[in-house]
Amino acid sequence: MLWRLSYFLLWQLAGGGLGWWQGGAWGAALGAGAAAWGWFFWDLSRGARVLGWLRTGDPEQAPVMRGIWGEAADRARRLLRRNEVELRDSEGRLQEFLAAMQATPNGVVLLDAQGRIEWCNQIAAAHFGFDAQRDVMQSVGNLVRDPAFTAYFAARQFTTDVVLEGRASTPSRPVRISVHLHPYGDGRKLLLSRDVTALEQAEAMRSDFVANVSHEIRTPLTVLAGFVETLQTLSLTEEEQSRYLGMMSQQAQRMQSVVQDLLTLSRLEGSPLPGMGEWTSVHTLLQHCEVEGRALSALVTQSQQKSHQISFPAPQVLLEAGELAGSSAELQSALSNLISNAVRYTPAGGSITVEWQPASHGAAVFSVRDTGPGIAPEHIPRLTERFYRVDRSRSRETGGTGLGLAIVKHVLQRHGAMLEITSTLGKGSVFSVTFPASRLRSTAHRGAWAPG
């Protein structure tokens, strides 16, 4: 401030001195006044430059000057740069926060006080069918039309969640979404959604499993108990005793089969994954499957006028298929189970076709095609559940325990294979197993590495 006053006085002295030299005392007064006005307009122009720059706010365009206006411009420039740095830091943290919410496995929706969408991540967009850009500032009540959500949102009691049907839900693949609202800030709400389909299915499977195990064990036990009581209380002929004992043996075998399959499942779930050290010839594997399948077919159709038409790949095709890595016993059980299911459910006179075909990228596909009654689409996703049966009476008539496909699924998962089921009601079904290339090798490869 002292320098500013000094500059002003110097301008006046210079103007007054010039005026004195030109016109004496009156000239000195006029010169001092003119100098004061000149300094004023000069200082005003400097201030205008600083003000014009402040209106643009670009630190790179700050005017370079001395004096108080220069210092003001310099201080403002430093403040602007500091604010820019802080703004960039804040923007970076915001983007990191949004990226974290995008990465969460749950859906996240930010709602304002009026229930309009301010932001949502991609998971929420998939859950509810939102468009992350188009639906911003749209009312969530207009986009989620489920009556359960409407009642939940209107009640404003957000201590619990509500379960809705997902946008991608279909009869064959139901999707269930849990939604929970959390109020925060000034009337805003955080909407969290998560896919609980697997949890609900697991709970249903657990409940069904307990009920089914109880039923599968209780039924033959009841029959056995009844026969034992009959043998103890009634005087029976030798023929009647033989018939009752045969029925008791049949029920005991049924219980033994259920227990054995349960133990097999437990062993599969608790044992280490099969390694790559054991190799089984595909030819040998399917030969055993063929023997078992034809024997079962003969047993099932022995009282029928027609037998099954069963087709297996030619021996040369199987020899060229090479070898499969994994537990031979598990693989034999799984593939044989698929064939035996086709035999059990295909009427006499129907056809069963077993194939082994190479697939892309070195993989191979084992398939069993039958001309049985087929399976409705709503049953296919649940076929590998324990004790799940499409037709319970038919399954028990053919000696099934309801655990066969569950065992098949676990064996294939342990070997990195994938099971695919396609079926048409009245036309038959196809069960296909895709083995990865890592589990296959040709016999030529084996010969090349065999010790000489």
Side-chain angles (χ1 to χ4, degrees), residues 205 265 268-276 325-327 330-331 334-335 338 381 384-386 404-420 432-436 438-439:
M205 288 172 62
L265 275 172
L268 290 173
E269 291 176 344
S271 61
L273 295 177
M276 303 293 291
S327 169
E330 292 183 15
L331 292 169
L335 301 187
L338 295 178
T384 56
E385 294 179 13
R386 301 177 185 189
L405 285 178
I407 294 174
V408 169
K409 181 187 74 172
H410 278 78
V411 169
L412 297 181
Q413 285 178 342
R414 287 165 54 81
H415 288 80
M418 182 177 64
L419 175 66
E420 182 180 0
S432 302
V433 179
T434 303
F435 289 99
S438 60
R439 289 272 173 182

Side-chain angles (χ1 to χ4, degrees), residues 202-220 254 258 262 382 386-389 392 396 401:
E203 179 61 26
M205 288 172 62
R206 186 196 65 79
S207 178
D208 291 346
F209 177 73
V210 172
N212 284 323
V213 168
S214 301
H215 179 75
E216 295 293 337
I217 300 297
R218 184 174 63 246
T219 300
R254 176 180 166 188
V258 172
L262 285 171
R382 300 192 62 189
R386 301 177 185 189
F387 294 113
Y388 187 83
R389 294 186 177 98
R392 292 183 178 273
R396 292 194 179 95
T401 63

Side-chain angles (χ1 to χ4, degrees), residues 116-282:
R116 295 173 299 193
I117 298 172
E118 293 183 322
W119 182 87
C120 71
N121 65 359
Q122 293 299 323
I123 299 296
H127 284 170
F128 300 107
F130 294 161
D131 186 299
Q133 282 76 40
R134 183 194 63 202
D135 292 334
V136 170
M137 301 312 296
Q138 296 293 317
S139 174
V140 69
N142 293 335
L143 299 175
V144 182
R145 297 297 187 91
D146 193 299
F149 177 79
T150 302
Y152 174 72
F153 192 80
R156 299 186 179 277
Q157 298 294 324
F158 304 137
T159 54
T160 60
D161 59 356
V162 61
V163 178
L164 314 175
E165 187 176 275
R167 181 60 63 93
S169 181
T170 62
S172 61
R173 290 184 178 274
V175 178
R176 303 284 287 170
I177 305 297
S178 170
V179 177
H180 201 162
L181 281 165
H182 300 269
Y184 76 99
D186 188 14
R188 286 180 164 79
K189 299 175 185 66
L190 174 67
L191 186 151
L192 299 178
S193 63
R194 61 190 179 101
D195 191 332
V196 295
T197 306
L199 291 176
E200 289 197 348
Q201 288 177 346
E203 179 61 26
M205 288 172 62
R206 186 196 65 79
S207 178
D208 291 346
F209 177 73
V210 172
N212 284 323
V213 168
S214 301
H215 179 75
E216 295 293 337
I217 300 297
R218 184 174 63 246
T219 300
L221 277 177
T222 302
V223 175
L224 280 172
F227 284 145
V228 169
E229 184 179 354
T230 300
L231 290 172
Q232 288 176 334
T233 57
L234 297 179
S235 178
L236 302 175
T237 64
E238 184 176 345
E239 181 182 354
E240 289 174 330
Q241 287 182 0
S242 177
R243 183 164 62 89
Y244 284 154
L245 288 172
M247 292 180 180
M248 292 170 66
S249 175
Q250 183 181 5
Q251 294 300 322
Q253 289 177 356
R254 176 180 166 188
M255 280 195 299
Q256 186 176 12
S257 297
V258 172
V259 172
Q260 184 62 41
D261 283 350
L262 285 171
L263 291 174
T264 299
L265 275 172
S266 178
R267 186 182 70 252
L268 290 173
E269 291 176 344
S271 61
L273 295 177
M276 303 293 291
E278 181 182 353
W279 292 87
T280 304
S281 167
V282 174

Side-chain angles (χ1 to χ4, degrees), residues 21 83 104 132 224 391 405 432:
W21 180 64
N83 289 340
T104 180
L224 280 172
D391 186 343
L405 285 178
S432 302

Side-chain angles (χ1 to χ4, degrees), residues 69-127:
W69 290 116
E71 184 178 352
D74 187 60
R75 287 177 180 269
R77 177 178 56 80
R78 282 182 286 177
L79 285 173
L80 285 172
R81 285 185 173 173
R82 186 188 305 167
N83 289 340
E84 283 187 352
V85 171
E86 293 177 352
L87 184 61
R88 283 196 298 268
D89 290 343
S90 298
E91 182 68 22
R93 286 193 294 270
L94 175 61
Q95 292 303 319
E96 290 176 359
F97 176 71
L98 294 178
M101 288 200 292
Q102 285 286 8
T104 180
N106 298 328
V108 180
V109 183
L110 304 181
L111 304 176
D112 66 7
Q114 286 72 44
R116 295 173 299 193
I117 298 172
E118 293 183 322
W119 182 87
C120 71
N121 65 359
Q122 293 299 323
I123 299 296
H127 284 170

